[in-house]
């Protein structure tokens, strides 16, 4: 039981390049989330999904797109990377809605945009 | 404005000392979560509090949620170097869509 895994662990991009971050969970969770963590800003929700085929915007969605084609996977895409997107990205999943359902986090992806 | 305030921002304690980290909101909290993060790693779930006045313990870590459900404290007894890391609180807030809001974290260093 791997829990929540993220690929890749670290990536360096040039401004304007695109990439996709992959999140996978094997806990059969309905809800999945993408956060970014920046110094002094804490964790901020980018997008989330309440089930296969659904996505919704979080607090800071601009510049990102997501897809949830399979229940166990949640992809985060950067179409044209910008230096402001340098951050650590965390994926999380939960069985149900966030108020009283524990979110379980992946190990993170460190992204540097030059 | 930050809806979930953590204090202190950082803390350095001598091994064996006790310490407390606070998490405060101006709104009523639903499930209050405490996580620990080591540098370069993900967030590890510690415990969740839901009811006013609730208290939970895990090994030497105790978390409490006040009766008004607007403040939580995390207390570590007889700190050890293994306790070092960043502690984050997360909570669902009244009026939110059910997603969690996180504090900015408290960085704990334990001197051997």
């Amino acid at each position: 039981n791997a829990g929540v895994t993220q690929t890749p662990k670290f990536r360096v991009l040039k401004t304007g390049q695109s990439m996709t971050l992959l999140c996978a969970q094997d806990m059969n969770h309905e809800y999945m989330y993408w956060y970014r963590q920046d110094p002094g800003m804490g964790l901020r929700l980018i997008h989330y999904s309440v089930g296969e085929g659904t996505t919704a915007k979080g607090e800071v969605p601009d510049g990102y797109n997501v897809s949830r084609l399979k229940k166990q996977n949640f992809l985060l895409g950067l179409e044209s990377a910008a230096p402001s997107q340098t951050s650590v990205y965390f994926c999380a999943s939960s069985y149900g809605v966030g108020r009283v359902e524990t979110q379980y986090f992946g190990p993170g992806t460190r992204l540097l945009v030059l | 404005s930050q809806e979930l305030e953590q204090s202190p921002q950082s803390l350095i304690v001598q091994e064996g000392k006790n310490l407390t980290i606070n998490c405060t909101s101006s709104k009523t909290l639903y499930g209050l979560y405490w996580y620990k993060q080591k540098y370069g790693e993900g967030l590890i779930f510690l415990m969740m509090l839901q009811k006013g006045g609730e208290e939970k313990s895990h090994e030497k870590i105790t978390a409490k949620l006040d009766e008004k459900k607007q403040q939580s404290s995390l207390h570590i007894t007889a700190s050890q170097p293994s306790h070092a890391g960043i502690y984050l609180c997360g909570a669902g807030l009244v009026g939110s869509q059910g997603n969690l809001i996180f504090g900015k974290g408290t960085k704990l260093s334990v001197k051997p």
Side-chain angles (χ1 to χ4, degrees), chain B residues 33-96:
Chain B
Y33 302 81
W34 282 102
Y35 290 87
K36 179 186 175 183
Q37 182 181 23
K38 289 193 173 183
Y39 180 77
E41 300 180 14
L43 280 69
I44 305 299
F45 170 71
L46 295 176
M47 49 191 99
M48 188 267 273
L49 305 166
Q50 190 175 344
K51 299 177 182 178
E54 187 175 8
E55 179 176 322
K56 288 186 178 178
S57 293
H58 175 68
E59 297 179 345
K60 294 185 177 179
I61 301 176
T62 300
K64 301 178 184 180
L65 182 62
D66 73 338
E67 290 289 345
K68 290 186 178 180
K69 296 173 66 175
Q70 288 185 304
Q71 183 171 354
S72 178
S73 60
L74 185 82
H75 184 78
I76 298 177
T77 303
S79 59
Q80 300 170 358
S82 61
H83 287 128
I86 299 173
Y87 290 82
L88 292 99
C89 63
L93 302 179
V94 171
S96 73

Side-chain angles (χ1 to χ4, degrees), chain A residues 20-42:
Chain A
T20 300
L21 282 68
L22 172 64
C23 175
Q25 53 93 5
D26 61 2
M27 296 175 282
N28 201 33
H29 284 168
E30 287 292 335
Y31 291 72
M32 296 187 74
Y33 313 81
W34 275 108
Y35 293 90
R36 60 178 290 174
Q37 185 179 41
D38 303 290
M41 301 295 292

Side-chain angles (χ1 to χ4, degrees), chain A residues 31 33 35 37 40-45 48 57-59 88 90 97-108 110, chain B residues 2 30-33 35 37 39-43 45 48 50 88 92-104:
Chain A
Y31 291 72
Y33 313 81
Y35 293 90
Q37 185 179 41
M41 301 295 292
L43 277 169
R44 293 181 292 171
L45 183 65
Y48 64 101
K57 294 180 180 179
E59 181 185 355
V88 182
F90 288 101
V97 71
R99 282 182 180 177
V100 291
E101 290 286 346
T102 302
Q103 292 186 17
Y104 295 91
F105 285 78
R110 294 183 173 274
Chain B
Q2 185 70 19
Y30 288 100
L32 187 287
Y33 302 81
Y35 290 87
Q37 182 181 23
Y39 180 77
E41 300 180 14
L43 280 69
F45 170 71
M48 188 267 273
Q50 190 175 344
L88 292 99
L93 302 179
V94 171
S96 73
Q97 295 179 353
N99 294 317
L100 296 185
I101 303 295
F102 285 87
K104 293 183 179 181

Side-chain angles (χ1 to χ4, degrees), chain A residues 50-67:
Chain A
V50 300
E52 182 178 322
T54 72
T55 62
K57 294 180 180 179
E59 181 185 355
V60 288
D62 294 342
Y64 305 95
N65 57 75
V66 287
S67 64

